[in-house]
């Protein structure tokens, strides 16, 4: 079964969702599957793409036989790299001059010509245009507007052109404020999109204009909201479903070699007349009932969506309780299946499959071109009408990996606010939160270790050693302490400097560890003094035999920086069960006293008063 790829800035909403649904339907009719890849970051705000993104990896290339690219979802360089592998590319509603590939457009000329001619038949001669000139389809609509005026003997007036900042309602509102600032010199306006038109209607009505008497307004897109504006919006309907279906059919023909040379394919548009152009209203009882049912369904959908997103948000915000990587939170969604791939540390564009929904056996890492795993595609094939969606788990400079789900297209959510987009954004934040917690735990552990260990030798410091000793005494009286002091160490520091002295201290700590093995714990008491805790005493590991082994090891020459230096040691021994009222401090004092006797007598080893020599 062929797999069609789709590259799209977003994966839902009235525009991208409708095109995707058309692609999915045509693919299903041909027995093909669809993998739709979002090329913008998760949680991206709605924006107009002036510069197409350049995906850093060949996403899903191992599965896909060719790609449909919706508007400028990826850079020409990336698309050329796809073509270089022999995979065909079809572009929807955008042209890349440097790319030789088929394109599919709604027929902007037919719809806009019908709109302008309709306004002329109403008697309008001062017809304005308001739209976002940074989009190719808007430029086509603008040029058709100009051409149609000229065909009817009306010279286009550049003073009646109002550029919108974007394709959204805010862009239309800005254009309307420009119209008012100019004294509203037009009697009618053609807007580049319905959202632009709705912004114009809102601002003009708010300024006290009578609509459509003072200004007739025509939009483009036929959004569902167009029939609920006041007055209801006359608009051009572009069949986005058919645009997507045509793109899929063109791609399938290119894949099997029957498509012929690259060409531009156009899908017819039509004018939908309502009251905003000046035509009388024609809302019958059946139409009102249908609109009421539509509003009820939308309200119900919004309630379900808000409830679901609330539950999912709470799940992901509780990432310290349940690992979000396991994708258990997907059980609250409409997704049939899903998996999470996290970039591995090797920097080779491979992904560790960190989670699978429903839970499944662990999978080996895959490359970006092999993501999502084949099992996800199989789950999509098993559910008619479902697609495989792939969204970056990336917000700003935090790029964790890729989330794939098997689900249906959401046509209702605002672009950039589709559920999967929100899930991926929340997941990114949850993973960031986990990473911060892990860092804090590591720092806490480091601080704890720093507070309990000597920074130079890494041995337990005096405080920690006394804690270990007290715990050992609590477990039983068969405990001994060795107090180790280095003889002549001050002269080493004075003669060769503290750097050499520090090297010797580090080596002394290493010799203590090596000789003790698992039969004791060494600590640094301070300066050139060390302590040894012995709490696993037996005939082969008595305090005295251990002290003799340590003394022999410590008396071996040291060779810091190539020098040969001899530093001898003195060791005092104290046993807990032979020291009256022994506690940790008392036992250390007893061993310290014994050490000073050994130093003064130059015997090397001395036992405390309660510890007879053997």
């Amino acid at each position: 079964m062929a797999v069609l790829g789709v590259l799209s800035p977003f994966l839902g909403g009235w525009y991208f969702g409708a095109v995707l649904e058309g692609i999915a339907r045509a693919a299903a009719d041909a027995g093909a599957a669809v993998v739709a890849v979002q090329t913008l970051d998760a949680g991206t705000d709605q924006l107009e793409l002036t510069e197409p993104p350049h995906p850093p990896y060949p996403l899903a290339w191992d599965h896909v036989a060719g790609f449909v690219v919706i508007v400028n979802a990826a850079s020409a360089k990336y698309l050329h790299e796809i073509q270089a592998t022999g995979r065909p590319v079809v572009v929807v509603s955008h042209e890349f001059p440097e790319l030789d590939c088929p394109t599919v457009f709604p027929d902007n000329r037919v719809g806009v010509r019908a709109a302008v001619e309709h306004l002329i038949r109403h008697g309008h001669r001062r017809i304005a245009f308001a739209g976002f000139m940074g989009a190719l389809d808007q430029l086509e609509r603008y040029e058709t507007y100009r051409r149609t005026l000229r065909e009817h003997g009306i010279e286009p007036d550049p003073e009646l052109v109002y550029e919108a900042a974007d394709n959204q309602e805010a862009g239309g509102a800005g254009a309307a404020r420009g119209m008012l600032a100019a004294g509203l010199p037009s009697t009618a306006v053609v807007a580049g999109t319905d959202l632009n038109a709705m912004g114009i209607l809102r601002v003009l009505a708010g300024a006290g204009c009578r609509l459509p008497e003072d200004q007739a307004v025509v939009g483009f897109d036929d959004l569902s909201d167009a029939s609920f504006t006041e007055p209801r919006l006359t608009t051009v309907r572009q069949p986005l479903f058919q645009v997507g279906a045509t793109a899929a059919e063109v791609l399938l023909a290119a894949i099997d070699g029957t498509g012929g040379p690259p060409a531009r394919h156009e899908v017819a548009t039509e004018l939908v007349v309502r009251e905003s152009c000046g035509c009388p209203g024609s809302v019958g009882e059946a139409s009102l009932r249908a609109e009421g049912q539509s509003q009820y369904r939308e309200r119900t959908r919004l309630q379900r969506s808000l409830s679901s997103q609330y539950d999912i948000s709470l799940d992901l915000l509780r990432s310290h309780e349940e690992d979000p990587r396991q994708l258990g939170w997907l059980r609250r969604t409409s997704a049939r299946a899903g998996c999470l791939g996290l970039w591995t540390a090797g920097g080779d564009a491979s992904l560790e499959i960190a989670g699978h929904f429903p839970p499944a056996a662990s999978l080996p890492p895959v490359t970006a071109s092999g993501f999502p795993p084949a099992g996800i595609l199989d789950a999509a094939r098993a559910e008619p009408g479902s697609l495989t969606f792939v969204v970056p788990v990336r917000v700003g400079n935090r790029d964790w990996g890729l989330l794939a789900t098997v689900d249906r297209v959401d046509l209702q959510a605002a672009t950039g606010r589709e559920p999967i987009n929100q899930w991926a954004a929340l997941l990114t934040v949850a993973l960031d939160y986990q990473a911060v917690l892990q860092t804090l735990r590591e720092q806490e552990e480091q601080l704890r270790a720093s507070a309990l260990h000597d920074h130079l030798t890494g041995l337990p410091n005096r405080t920690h050693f006394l804690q270990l000793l007290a715990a050992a005494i609590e477990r039983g009286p068969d405990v001994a302490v060795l107090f180790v002091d280095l003889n002549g160490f001050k002269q080493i520091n004075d003669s060769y400097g503290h750097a050499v002295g520090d090297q010797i201290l580090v080596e002394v700590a290493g010799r203590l560890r090596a000789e003790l093995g698992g039969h004791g714990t060494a600590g640094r008491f301070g300066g050139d003094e060390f302590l040894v805790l012995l709490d696993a005493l037996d005939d082969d590991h008595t305090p005295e035999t251990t002290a003799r082994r340590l003394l022999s090891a410590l008396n071996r020459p040291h060779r810091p920086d190539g020098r040969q230096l001899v530093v001898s040691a003195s060791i005092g021994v104290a046993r807990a069960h032979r020291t009256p009222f022994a506690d940790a401090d008392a036992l250390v004092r007893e061993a310290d006293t014994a050490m000073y006797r050994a130093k003064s007598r130059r015997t090397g080893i001395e036992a405390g008063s309660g510890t007879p020599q053997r």
Side-chain angles (χ1 to χ4, degrees):
M1 177 187 288
V3 178
L4 306 186
V6 180
L7 300 177
S8 179
F10 300 101
L11 298 180
W14 68 270
Y15 179 81
F16 298 105
V19 175
L20 275 171
E21 193 169 62
I23 293 170
R25 182 70 59 82
D29 290 345
V34 177
V35 176
V37 178
Q38 179 170 305
T39 57
L40 292 183
D41 289 6
T44 299
D45 290 333
Q46 171 60 32
L47 47 79
E48 308 301 340
L49 285 177
T50 55
E51 288 295 327
H54 182 79
Y57 306 110
L59 300 175
W61 288 16
D62 288 356
H63 303 301
V64 170
F67 282 92
V68 173
V69 183
I70 303 179
V71 296
N72 54 344
S75 67
K77 181 177 182 293
Y78 188 79
L79 302 183
H80 182 73
E81 291 170 356
I82 292 174
Q83 288 182 319
T85 68
R87 296 173 175 85
V89 170
V90 176
V91 180
V92 171
S93 292
H94 192 77
E95 286 182 346
F96 292 91
E98 58 271 72
L99 214 63
D100 187 23
C101 65
T103 57
V104 179
F105 284 83
D107 191 339
N108 292 298
R109 293 183 293 273
V110 170
V112 173
R113 181 179 292 110
V116 174
E117 289 177 342
H118 186 76
L119 292 171
I120 291 172
R121 286 196 295 273
H122 273 290
H124 295 286
R125 307 284 293 179
R126 302 283 292 169
I127 302 173
F129 183 89
F132 173 62
M133 301 303 184
L136 179 61
D137 54 1
Q138 300 286 24
L139 289 174
E140 285 189 350
R141 293 166 197 173
Y142 172 63
E143 290 302 325
T144 302
Y145 149 84
R146 287 165 50 85
R147 191 178 305 113
T148 305
L149 288 177
R150 286 199 177 100
E151 289 171 357
H152 289 268
I154 303 171
E155 184 59 28
D157 185 349
E159 298 296 324
L160 299 183
V161 178
Y162 302 93
E163 188 164 352
D166 53 38
N167 281 325
Q168 309 307 306
E169 188 172 336
R177 286 189 283 271
M179 296 166 67
L180 290 169
L184 201 62
S186 59
T187 60
V189 59
V190 175
T193 67
D194 278 357
L195 291 174
N196 281 167
M198 291 171 192
I200 292 170
L201 288 173
R202 175 170 56 81
V203 170
L204 294 186
C209 295
R210 297 171 303 144
L211 304 172
E213 291 84 1
D214 294 338
Q215 192 77 191
V217 181
V218 178
F220 195 107
D221 289 325
D222 193 28
L223 299 183
S224 59
D225 289 353
S227 60
F228 297 106
T229 59
E230 182 60 42
R232 298 191 314 151
L233 184 63
T234 295
T235 182
V236 177
R237 176 179 296 156
Q238 56 170 329
L240 296 173
F241 178 91
Q242 190 57 44
V243 168
T246 301
E249 291 163 0
V250 171
L251 181 59
L252 287 165
I255 290 169
D256 64 24
T258 62
R264 177 180 173 125
H265 303 263
E266 294 187 338
V267 180
T269 56
E270 62 175 320
L271 184 67
V272 179
V273 177
R274 299 188 182 99
E275 293 81 33
S276 71
C277 63
C279 288
S282 58
V283 183
E285 183 179 344
S287 178
L288 286 173
R289 185 182 302 112
E291 289 182 4
Q293 290 172 342
S294 175
Q295 287 181 323
Y296 174 76
R297 287 193 298 269
E298 176 64 7
R299 185 180 66 186
T300 303
R301 184 196 70 82
L302 282 172
Q303 289 173 339
R304 287 198 302 266
S305 177
L306 285 171
S307 177
S308 173
Q309 286 300 106
Y310 176 79
D311 291 337
I312 294 166
S313 299
L314 284 183
D315 277 355
L316 289 170
L317 289 172
R318 287 194 291 259
S319 58
H320 58 290
E321 298 176 6
E322 181 177 353
D323 189 354
R325 303 163 193 249
Q326 300 304 311
L327 303 186
W329 50 270
L330 274 179
R331 68 186 181 278
R332 298 185 182 275
T333 74
S334 58
R336 175 184 176 87
C339 74
L340 173 65
L342 300 179
W343 300 119
T344 59
D348 56 354
S350 63
L351 295 142
E352 172 196 355
I353 305 303
H356 209 288
F357 174 79
S362 60
L363 296 172
V366 298
T367 61
S369 60
F371 188 88
I376 296 295
L377 300 181
D378 292 340
R381 294 186 183 103
E383 182 72 14
S386 292
L387 287 75
T388 300
F389 297 98
V390 177
V391 179
V393 184
R394 181 180 66 223
V395 175
N397 61 355
R398 297 293 291 171
D399 185 1
W400 286 95
L402 299 168
L403 172 67
T405 63
V406 174
D407 207 346
R408 294 177 179 272
V409 179
D410 184 350
L411 299 172
Q412 304 300 321
T415 301
R417 297 293 180 268
E418 306 89 343
I420 189 172
N421 208 11
Q422 295 187 52
W423 304 341
L426 287 168
L427 179 58
T428 303
V429 173
L431 294 175
D432 284 346
Y433 177 63
Q434 276 196 329
V436 169
L437 281 182
Q438 180 61 29
T439 299
L440 290 174
R441 291 190 189 102
E442 290 173 357
Q443 290 176 347
E444 183 181 7
E445 189 59 35
Q446 289 171 359
L447 288 172
R448 182 181 293 111
S450 177
L452 298 177
H453 290 79
D454 174 55
H455 73 279
L456 177 65
T457 63
L459 296 177
N461 60 20
R462 176 176 181 171
T463 299
H464 189 28
F465 185 89
L466 289 173
Q467 292 172 349
L468 296 174
L469 178 56
I473 294 172
E474 185 74 21
R475 289 192 296 269
D478 201 13
V479 175
V481 169
L482 309 185
F483 201 113
V484 180
D485 180 80
L486 304 181
N487 301 321
F489 183 75
K490 184 178 184 301
Q491 288 76 14
I492 295 289
N493 270 341
D494 292 344
S495 301
Y496 300 100
H498 288 279
V500 170
D502 286 350
Q503 291 181 54
I504 291 176
L505 292 174
V506 170
E507 188 170 342
V508 166
R511 293 184 187 183
L512 290 174
R513 287 194 195 95
E515 286 297 326
L516 290 171
H519 296 283
T521 302
R524 187 180 177 196
F525 195 67
D528 60 350
E529 296 176 330
F530 294 83
L531 294 167
V532 174
L533 165 61
L534 301 175
D535 59 351
L537 304 178
D538 56 38
D539 290 341
D540 294 326
H541 299 89
T542 66
E544 293 75 20
T545 56
T546 301
R548 284 193 288 273
R549 288 202 313 274
L550 294 179
L551 192 64
S552 175
L554 296 177
N555 287 345
R556 294 198 305 269
H558 298 269
R559 292 181 173 81
D561 297 334
R563 304 180 181 89
Q564 179 168 309
L565 301 175
V566 177
V567 181
S568 63
S570 300
I571 300 177
V573 181
R575 285 194 179 219
H577 73 285
R578 292 182 181 163
T579 302
F581 310 108
D583 59 17
D585 286 314
L587 200 59
V588 169
R589 285 196 301 271
E590 180 67 24
D592 187 16
T593 301
M595 180 274 296
Y596 274 106
R597 285 201 302 272
K599 185 182 288 286
S600 63
R601 297 175 183 176
R602 298 184 178 180
T603 57
I605 300 172
E606 286 284 340
S609 60
T611 307
Q613 298 247 27
R614 293 186 182 179

